[in-house]
C-alpha cells in the first residue's frame, strides 16, 4: 500500500548506508583546501578590480570610474546570483518533504561550483600570458554563476535521489566538462551564445538526464507517495519560478556587449517570457477535463521562453520574433510535461524529477536552432556594417566570417553541447553508480529525513494520543 | 452554517459553470497570436537597443556605451519588475485557500498586459513619424510594467471572485483605458506623474472598485469562511509587502529625469515609506482592545506612503515633506481598513478583497493633491532656473508655463484619472456581468479548487464529516 | 512539562502586563513627529539630488548625468535594503510561532531606525558648515541602512523576549551609540571599515548580547517548547539566509570607493561566502552522529564569511585570502552554534535566540583583526602609489600615515566597537529592565499571540484523536 514505515527493512533488497558523516565533511574540506591552494597559485584581480585601476585608467584614457566594467555588469550579476540561489533553489522546493534538500544542496553545489568554475574557465579563457595568472572581475563571477547553473539544471533531474556527496562529484565533473565544452563552442567554433541556450541549458539538461538514466531506480515507486507537492510547497516553488522569470532578461544580457547588446538581449527575453506565460496557461487548461490549471506547468513551462531565446537574445531577433519563440516554447514545454516526461520514465527509464527535459533540454535545443537561423539570416541592412561586426564579433582571425557561415558554426556548437552533455553524463553516471556515495534506498527517496535533522513538528510525526491530549488541554 | 461541501448544489440558486477549458485557452492563444501580428507590424527596437547604436553614438557625439539609457534605468526596471510579479503576486496570497490564484492569475494578467501595453502606449507616445513604427527600449518596458500595475491593483478588489477569463477581459480594457488616460494626463494636460499616484494608483483603484461594485455578489457570505488568512499565508503575504515596500523608491524614480530627478525621487519615497510604517503600527495597535497588531494593516497600509508620494517624488518636496505625507497616509490607510472597508461593503455594496481603496485609491488621490500643491508652490529660488525647467519640463510648447498653472494642470490630471477609473470600471463591469465568463458561484469564491488542480495534502482534504464536526466544535 | 497555559498565573511570580495599546502608539507617533520636526530643521538634499544639480554639473565640469553618485551606488543600495528588510526579517522567522514578530518588529525597528540614523549620522558626518544643514543623498541612505543593521543584529539576541516598545527604545539608543562609535572609529581614529565588520557587526552583536544578559530570564524554559522550528518556518528562514548571502557582496561594496574599490570588495565577499558554505556543511555534518545536516547551521553560519571579510573587502586581500577567511569562519561559526551558544546560556546567563554571537560577534572580531593585518601588510608594490593613497585614504591630515600604523588604528577601532557594544548594551539593558515596557512573562515568550491578532487556523488548534486516526489510515 506504499506505506513505507511498515515495510522498510523488509522489502528493500539492498540495505544502503546513508551515513555521510565521514565522506561529506571530507569532500567539502579537502576540496575547499584545494581551492584555496589553486586560487593562491593562479587567481588574481584583473585590472579593473586591482588597486592599480587608477593607473590603468590614466594610461588608457578612461575618463571616469563609471566606465569600470563593474557598473556595466554588476546589477545583472546580482540578478543572476538571485536566480542561481533563490531561483533554482526554491523552484525545487515543490516536493512535500524535500525542501531542505532542494535549497540546501542547491546552496552546496553552487558554493563549490562557482569556485571551481572560476579556475576552470580561467584556465581556458582568461589566463594572462604575461604572468600565467587568471585575472578575475565581475564578468568572471557572472560566468562562474552561469557554469553553476548548468550543474543545478542537472540536479533537477536527480532531485531527491542522490546524496550530497554524489552531488559534489557531479558538480566537479560538470563544471570541468562545461569549461571544456564552452571553450570549444565559444572560442574554437566561434559560436555566439550570450544567454547560454546551448552552452548552459542544452549541456546541463542532457548531462543531468544521462546521469538520471544511469542511476535509474527500478523500485522508485516505493517513494512515489513523496513525489507530490502540498499546498504550501507549491507556493514556495513559485518564489523560485518568479525570480527566475523576472531576472531572466538579466541572465541573457549579463555578458552581452555593452550598450545595445545588453539592451536588446533584455528586451527580447522580456517579450519571449511574456508570450510563454500565455501559451503555458492555455495548454495547461486545455489538458485537464475541466480546464483547471496545473501548478507544475505554471512553475516550469513559463520559463521555457527564456531558455529558448538565450542564444538569439543579443541578435536582431526582432520583438515579434521573440514573441514567436516564446509562444512555441510555452506550448512545447507544457506538452512535454503532459506527454514526454511520463513516456521517458516508462519507456526510456529516465526519471526526471523536475522535468528538466521540458524546461531546459528541448527549449535549449530550440534556442540553439533559433540562434543558428537568426545568425545565418543576419544582414548588413539590418545590423549596419559596424553593428554586424560587433554583434557577431567578426574581428581578428574571424574578420572574413560571414553570417551564413556563422549560422553553420552555431549549429555545430549545438552538436558539441549535446555530445558533451550526453557523453559526459553517461561517464559521470557510471562513477556515481559505485556503492560508496551514501545515496538513499529506493524507499527513502525524496525525503529530507535521510540527510537532515528535521524539526519535530505536527505535520511530521503525527502526534500520539498523549501529545494530543496535552495539546488539547492547553488549546487557547 | 458555512459548510459549503455539504450544501453545494442545493443552496446555490444559479448553478454556474466554471469550466474554462475552451474559453481560457482560446482567449490566451488568440490574443497572443494577435500580439505577434501587431508586434510584427508595429514594434521595432529604438536607437539605443538597435544594432545601429554604434552609428548613432558616433553621429550624436556620445562618448561611452554607459550613456545608453539601459544603464540609467535597467536596475530600476528590474526592481519594478519584481514589484509587479512577486510584490503584487505575493501580497495577495494572504487568503488561506487562494494563493495559487493570487500568484498565478497575477502572472497571467501581467504577462498579457505588458504586451498589450507596449502597443497601446507605443501608439500614443512613441510612434516614430518617419516610419510609423513604435520604437521600444528599457523605458518602454518600465512603462508597460507600470500600466500592468494599474490592472493588478484592480485585481485586488475582485480577488477570488472572478474567473481568469474575466481577468483577461478586464486587463484588455484596463490597459486600453490606461493608455488613453495617460496620454491625456501626461501629454495633453502636461501634468507630471513620475510615480503614477494619479495615472496608476487612482485610476487602477477606482477601475477595480467600480468593477467590484458592478459584480456585487449578495450571497458572498457563503464563502465568508474562506476570506481569512492562516498563519503561513500571512507570512507569504509579507514577502509581497516587503518587496513592494523596498523597491518602491525604484518605482517612483524609474522614469524620472536622469540625474537629480531619479536621485531625489528615490530619497523622497524612501523617507515617506519609513514614516508610514510607524503610523500604521501606531493606529493598528490603538484599534485593538489589547493593543495587538493586525497583520492586514502591516501588510497593506505600510505601503500607502509610497503611493501618496508618487507624483511629488521628483519635485523638491523636501525630506520633511515626504515624512509628513507618509505620516498622514499611514494613519488614513489604517483607519480605512478599520472603518471604511466594512462601511463600503455594507452600505455601498462594494466588496474590496484586498482593501485597495485604502492602499491605492485614497493615497493615490492624496498623492495627486500633494503633487498639485508642490507644483504650484515651486519657485526658481528652490529649483534654480534650469532646474525648474527641467523638473517640470517647461519646454517647447510649454515654455511659458508657470508653476501655479502647473498646479492646476496637476489637479485636472487627477480628475481625469478618477473619471476614467470610475467610468471605465462601470462599463467593463457591465461586460463582465455577462454569464459567459465562467466565474464561480457565491459559495465557491476565494477557493483555488475551482480553477486549479490542487495537491492532495493533509490540510486540504481531510474534511471528513467527523473532522468537520470537530473543527466546528473547537472553533475557538 | 512546558504546558504553559495551565500554570500561567500560578508559577509566574510577576504577573506582567503585555498591553501596549497606549505605549506603542504613543512612542511611534511622538517619535515620528519629532523626526518630522528635526528633518524640517536639519535635513536637505545634497547637491546630487537637488534640482540645482544641473548648475552644479556645469560648474564642476561633470560631463554626464551618469556620474551622479546615484548611478554608482543605487543598485547596491537596493540590495542592502533587501538585506535589511527581507534578509534580517525572514532569517528570524525560523521560530514556529514567532514569524509575525520576526518580520513585523524587524520592519518597525528598521522604519524608525533609518530616520534617526539619517539625523545622527548627519550631525557627525555630513553637516554642511555653510548653512548648518545635513545634506543627504544615496550614500546617506546606505549608511542609514547600515546603522539599522546593527540594531537588527542586536534584535536577534533578544528575539521573542522583548516587547515592541522595548525594541523602539533599544533602537533609539542603538542608533545613537552607533553614530558616535562610527564617528570615533572612522573619523577620529581613521580606521577603514567598508563592510562594517567592526562598526556594524561587532558593535551590534555585543550590544545585543549585553542587553540579553541584562534581561536574563531565569524561567525561560517555560517557553522552551516554542523555541524550535517547524518544517515550513525553516524554509521561510532560508529566504532570509539566501537574500543576505546573495547580496552581501553589495553590502560590503556599497560605500567602498568608486571603481576598483567597489569591484574588489564585491569579488572578495563573493569568494569568502562561497568557502563558508562548504565548511559550514562539513562541520554541521560532522557534528551529528549520523552525519545529518542541521538547518540552524545552514541558515546562519553560511553567512559568517561575509561578516568576517567586511573590513578587508576593499583591501588587496587577494582571492585566496578571501577563501581562507571564509573557510575559517564557517568552521568557527558552526562550532559556535554547537558548543558556545549552549555554554553561554548555561554558564554566562546570556540567552541568544538567533545565535548572533556565532554569526556576528565572533566573525566581526575576526573581520576586524583580518582588516588590521591586511592594512598593516599593505605595500606600494601591491597597491601602487596612487592605489595605496586611495584605498586607505591617506590624504589631508592623514597624508603621512603609513600602512603599519594604519594596522594599529584598525585594531584600535575594533576595541572601540567592542567597548561601545558591551558598555552601551549594559546601560540600555538596565533601562529596559524597568517594568513599564510591556514585555511578556517567561512562559509567553516566542509567541506571536502576545502582540498579534492571530488568524484562527487549522494548524493552530491541533488535531484531535479521531482526526489523527484518519490521517494515519490514509497515510499513503
Amino acid at each position: 500500500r506504499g506505506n513505507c514505515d511498515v515495510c522498510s527493512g523488509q522489502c528493500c533488497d539492498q540495505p544502503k548506508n546513508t551515513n555521510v558523516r565521514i565522506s561529506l565533511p571530507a569532500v567539502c574540506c579537502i576540496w575547499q583546501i584545494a581551492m584555496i591552494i589553486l586560487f593562491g597559485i593562479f587567481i588574481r584581480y584583473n585590472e579593473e578590480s586591482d588597486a592599480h585601476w587608477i593607473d590603468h585608467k590614466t594610461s588608457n584614457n578612461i575618463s571616469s570610474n563609471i566606465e569600470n566594467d563593474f557598473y556595466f555588469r554588476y546589477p545583472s550579476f546580482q540578478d543572476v546570483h538571485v536566480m542561481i540561489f533563490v531561483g533554482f533553489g526554491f523552484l525545487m522546493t515543490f516536493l512535500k518533504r524535500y525542501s531542505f534538500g532542494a535549497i540546501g544542496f542547491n546552496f552546496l553545489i553552487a558554493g563549490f561550483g562557482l569556485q571551481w568554475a572560476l579556475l576552470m574557465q580561467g584556465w581556458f579563457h582568461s589566463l594572462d600570458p604575461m604572468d600565467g595568472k587568471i585575472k578575475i572581475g565581475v564578468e568572471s563571477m557572472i560566468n562562474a554563476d552561469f557554469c553553476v547553473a548548468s550543474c543545478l539544471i542537472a540536479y533537477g533531474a536527480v532531485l531527491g535521489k542522490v546524496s550530497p556527496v554524489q552531488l559534489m562529484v557531479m558538480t566537479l565533473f560538470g563544471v570541468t566538462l562545461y569549461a571544456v565544452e564552452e571553450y570549444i563552442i565559444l572560442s574554437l567554433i566561434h559560436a555566439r551564445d550570450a544567454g547560454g541556450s546551448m552552452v548552459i541549458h542544452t549541456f546541463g539538461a542532457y548531462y543531468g538526464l544521462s546521469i538520471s538514466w544511469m542511476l535509474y531506480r527500478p523500485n522508485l515507486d516505493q517513494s512515489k507517495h513523496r513525489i507530490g507537492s502540498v499546498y504550501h510547497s507549491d507556493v514556495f516553488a513559485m518564489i523560485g519560478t518568479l525570480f527566475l522569470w523576472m531576472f531572466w532578461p538579466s541572465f541573457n544580457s549579463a555578458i552581452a556587449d555593452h550598450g545595445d547588446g545588453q539592451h536588446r538581449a533584455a528586451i527580447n527575453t522580456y517579450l519571449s517570457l511574456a508570450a510563454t506565460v500565455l501559451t503555458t496557461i492555455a495548454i495547461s487548461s486545455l489538458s485537464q477535463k475541466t480546464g483547471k490549471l496545473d501548478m507544475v506547468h505554471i512553475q516550469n513551462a513559463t520559463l521555457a521562453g527564456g531558455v529558448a531565446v538565450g542564444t538569439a537574445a543579443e541578435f536582431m531577433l526582432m520583438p515579434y520574433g521573440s514573441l514567436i519563440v516564446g509562444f512555441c516554447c510555452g506550448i512545447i514545454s507544457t506538452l512535454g510535461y503532459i506527454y514526454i516526461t511520463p513516456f521517458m520514465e516508462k519507456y526510456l527509464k529516465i526519471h526526471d524529477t523536475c522535468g528538466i527535459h521540458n524546461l531546459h533540454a528541448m527549449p535549449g535545443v530550440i534556442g540553439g536552432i533559433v540562434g543558428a537561423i537568426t545568425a545565418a539570416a543576419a544582414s548588413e541592412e539590418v545590423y549596419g556594417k559596424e553593428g554586424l561586426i560587433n554583434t557577431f564579433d567578426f574581428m581578428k582571425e574571424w574578420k572574413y566570417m560571414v553570417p551564413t557561415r556563422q549560422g553553420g558554426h552555431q549549429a555545430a556548437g549545438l552538436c558539441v553541447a549535446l555530445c558533451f552533455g550526453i557523453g559526459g553524463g553517461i561517464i559521470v553516471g557510471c562513477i556515481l553508480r559505485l556503492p560508496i556515495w551514501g545515496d538513499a534506498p529506493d524507499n527513502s527517496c525524496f525525503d529530507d529525513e535521510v540527510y537532515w535533522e528535521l524539526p519535530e513538528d505536527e505535520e511530521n510525526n503525527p502526534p500520539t494520543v498523549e501529545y494530543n491530549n496535552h495539546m488539547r488541554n492547553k488549546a487557547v
Side-chain angles (χ1 to χ4, degrees), chain A:
Chain A
R1 297 275 215 95
N3 188 328
C4 68
D5 292 308
V6 175
C7 68
S8 82
Q10 292 164 256
C11 59
C12 310
D13 26 36
Q14 77 273 49
K16 292 200 173 189
N17 179 9
T18 61
N19 189 331
V20 291
R21 196 185 176 188
I22 303 304
S23 54
L24 183 60
V27 165
C28 288
C29 281
I30 294 169
W31 292 9
Q32 185 58 55
I33 291 168
M35 288 299 123
I36 293 173
I37 295 168
L38 290 169
F39 268 60
I41 301 173
F42 288 105
I43 295 203
R44 297 293 177 271
Y45 304 115
N46 74 4
E47 54 207 5
E48 296 185 298
S49 55
D50 190 283
H52 288 85
W53 158 254
I54 201 162
D55 305 325
H56 176 77
K57 217 170 54 171
T58 320
S59 62
N60 286 267
N61 273 320
I62 295 167
S63 63
S64 165
N65 277 323
I66 196 90
E67 295 188 43
N68 193 305
D69 198 32
F70 183 78
Y71 301 104
F72 285 93
R73 306 211 183 274
Y74 188 70
S76 305
F77 159 69
Q78 277 294 11
D79 294 347
V80 171
H81 217 42
V82 172
M83 293 174 73
I84 299 299
F85 289 89
V86 163
F88 282 108
F90 274 85
L91 184 62
M92 298 191 284
T93 56
F94 72 99
L95 290 173
K96 69 181 83 170
R97 295 305 287 177
Y98 208 70
S99 300
F100 289 9
I103 302 173
F105 296 151
N106 184 83
F107 205 8
L108 175 63
I109 293 173
F112 166 66
L114 63 87
Q115 297 177 57
W116 182 228
L118 281 173
L119 281 164
M120 283 301 304
Q121 295 184 312
W123 283 320
F124 282 110
H125 289 286
S126 43
L127 206 60
D128 188 330
M130 303 285 282
D131 56 5
K133 305 292 186 195
I134 297 164
K135 301 295 169 66
I136 61 169
V138 64
E139 196 171 339
S140 321
M141 299 199 294
I142 297 172
N143 275 315
D145 272 21
F146 276 6
C147 178
V148 164
S150 70
C151 295
L152 296 178
I153 291 166
Y155 179 31
V158 297
L159 181 75
K161 300 175 292 183
V162 293
S163 78
V165 183
Q166 282 178 309
L167 288 171
M168 289 292 282
V169 175
M170 199 173 119
T171 307
L172 181 78
F173 287 107
V175 168
T176 312
L177 287 163
Y178 177 94
V180 176
E181 164 239 28
E182 183 195 40
Y183 176 69
I184 295 174
I185 295 174
L186 302 188
S187 300
L188 300 188
I189 298 183
H190 192 262
R192 303 284 294 170
D193 197 10
S197 296
M198 307 181 285
V199 173
I200 302 168
H201 296 285
T202 304
F203 165 74
Y206 284 103
Y207 180 63
L209 291 168
S210 304
I211 291 175
S212 185
W213 181 57
M214 295 303 292
L215 299 182
Y216 183 69
R217 290 165 175 270
N219 301 313
L220 194 60
D221 54 350
Q222 291 171 6
S223 294
K224 200 175 55 182
H225 56 293
R226 256 182 257 106
I227 292 189
S229 61
V230 290
Y231 195 72
H232 284 312
S233 72
D234 268 329
V235 180
F236 277 121
M238 281 306 292
I239 297 175
T241 300
L242 288 175
F243 275 101
L244 286 170
W245 196 93
M246 294 181 303
F247 288 158
W248 215 293
S250 295
F251 191 93
N252 284 349
S253 69
I255 57 162
D257 286 343
H258 289 177
D260 64 298
Q262 288 194 283
H263 203 151
R264 193 163 55 246
I267 294 173
N268 285 333
T269 312
Y270 173 81
L271 291 174
S272 176
L273 284 164
T276 311
V277 174
L278 271 85
T279 48
T280 298
I281 287 180
I283 303 299
S284 182
S285 174
L286 206 58
S287 72
Q288 297 283 345
K289 238 183 298 179
T290 54
K292 291 187 186 184
L293 298 167
D294 189 330
M295 257 294 167
V296 171
H297 306 153
I298 312 300
Q299 280 159 11
N300 294 282
T302 49
L303 300 166
V307 174
V309 89
T311 303
E314 58 172 350
F315 301 159
M316 293 289 283
L317 180 59
M318 292 326 222
Y320 67 87
S322 308
L323 291 183
I324 293 171
V325 172
F327 185 91
C328 298
C329 282
I331 294 173
I332 292 169
S333 183
T334 313
L335 290 176
Y337 277 95
I338 301 170
Y339 299 111
I340 302 179
T341 300
F343 174 86
M344 280 180 21
E345 190 180 345
K346 200 161 173 191
Y347 297 103
L348 306 184
K349 308 221 171 292
I350 301 174
H351 181 267
D352 179 5
T353 314
C354 295
I356 61 166
H357 185 261
N358 315 305
L359 171 48
H360 298 281
M362 289 193 300
V365 171
I366 292 171
I369 295 168
V370 170
I373 295 171
T374 319
S379 69
E380 253 181 46
E381 200 192 324
V382 173
Y383 288 77
K385 196 172 154 53
E386 286 294 307
L388 194 65
I389 293 170
N390 262 279
T391 305
F392 292 99
D393 207 22
F394 291 159
M395 297 180 212
K396 294 188 198 144
E397 68 264 44
W398 300 98
K399 71 178 163 191
Y400 300 113
M401 191 80 162
V402 288
T404 42
R405 249 190 72 201
Q406 177 70 31
H409 285 226
Q410 297 287 137
L414 180 59
C415 295
V416 173
L418 276 166
C419 293
F420 266 80
I422 296 171
I426 290 173
I427 296 166
V428 175
C430 283
I431 298 169
L432 295 180
R433 286 176 75 165
L434 298 176
I436 57 173
W437 306 116
D439 50 321
D442 290 359
N443 66 349
S444 299
C445 286
F446 315 112
D447 194 350
D448 274 334
E449 188 63 44
V450 181
Y451 302 111
W452 297 87
E453 289 290 317
L454 292 187
E456 295 171 18
D457 62 41
E458 297 93 88
E459 302 165 56
N460 201 14
N461 29 352
T464 54
V465 179
E466 289 78 11
Y467 171 72
N468 274 307
N469 288 338
H470 281 290
M471 293 301 288
R472 222 177 304 132
N473 292 345
K474 80 188 153 73
V476 182

